[in-house]
Amino acid sequence: MLISINHYNFINKKLSMNVTETKIKGCFIVEPTKFGDSRGYFFESFNEQTFNKLTGTETHFVQDNQSYSTRGVLRGLHAQAGEHAQAKLVRVLEGKVIDVAVDVRPGSQTFGQHVAVELSVENNLQLFVPRGFLHGFVVLSETATFFYKCDNFYNKAAECGVKFDDPELAIDWGIAADELIISDKDQVLPSFKALFVD
């Protein structure tokens, strides 16, 4: 049986998401509306039209990235500078992480402040990280598959970052320091003051 246009539009209106702005302007928690029954569940993980309407942005994603990590792996804090800056919409496909975004936008009233959100396969939450933010996450579960959309392409020459345990930022990663697994590259990232203040 063919579905009528009116019925199709009615279904589409139900496929939505809840968007909540965090304490940092422009940084949003996104919760897709989940539909389930005895067969399982379905949700629309991203809809550009709905997302832009609810966030008041004009975001167009051009690249998807995915990583797999074990418990204690901490990736970050990273960003791309200048014209290569990236906005990200991040979520977890498997496991649980604490995801962190730090505002480093010049002149921002929340410059140097951060948001930390637990993202998991159970809560289906996503975090929208605007351009002008450092970003990182740590894995709390045995393993985690992390997925994110970017609105600008990766550019190695534009990479920058700040060390995860910088005292100026005072981020609680929710896991003991002796359980952390950090790349050699991230271990030697500069301080927040050295990169953004001095």
Side-chain angles (χ1 to χ4, degrees), residues 67-198:
S67 68
Y68 174 84
S69 308
T70 57
R71 177 176 171 79
V73 169
L74 192 154
R75 300 180 186 266
L77 295 159
H78 304 145
Q80 287 190 181
E83 65 181 340
H84 300 290
Q86 294 175 313
K88 299 176 181 177
L89 182 64
V90 305
R91 66 187 179 112
V92 167
L93 303 180
E94 176 223 347
K96 179 168 62 175
V97 309
I98 289 181
D99 195 73
V100 174
V102 182
D103 187 357
V104 291
R105 297 171 293 187
S108 171
Q109 292 184 344
T110 51
F111 179 80
Q113 295 183 32
H114 70 274
V115 170
V117 180
E118 185 178 290
L119 307 178
S120 72
V121 71
E122 287 80 23
N123 67 25
N124 294 311
L125 295 181
Q126 303 177 45
L127 183 67
F128 176 66
V129 182
R131 292 186 179 194
F133 278 67
L134 292 164
H135 174 256
F137 68 91
V138 66
V139 178
L140 302 181
S141 49
E142 288 307 305
T143 61
T145 303
F146 190 81
F147 178 87
Y148 56 106
K149 306 177 85 64
C150 299
D151 78 336
N152 207 353
F153 296 105
Y154 172 72
N155 186 289
K156 185 174 179 59
E159 281 185 305
C160 63
V162 167
K163 199 165 180 199
F164 73 96
D165 59 353
D166 191 292
E168 289 291 318
L169 301 178
I171 297 169
D172 179 1
W173 291 99
I175 192 168
D178 62 0
E179 294 185 70
L180 294 176
I181 303 168
I182 301 156
S183 71
D184 292 343
K185 177 182 171 182
D186 287 352
Q187 287 277 19
V188 297
L189 287 172
S191 70
F192 178 73
K193 280 187 174 180
L195 196 61
F196 292 105
V197 180
D198 292 344

Side-chain angles (χ1 to χ4, degrees), residues 36-53:
D37 58 27
S38 60
R39 300 167 300 165
Y41 69 85
F42 171 85
F43 65 85
E44 193 173 68
S45 61
F46 179 72
N47 179 305
E48 184 176 276
Q49 186 177 41
T50 304
F51 177 83
N52 285 344
K53 180 178 179 182

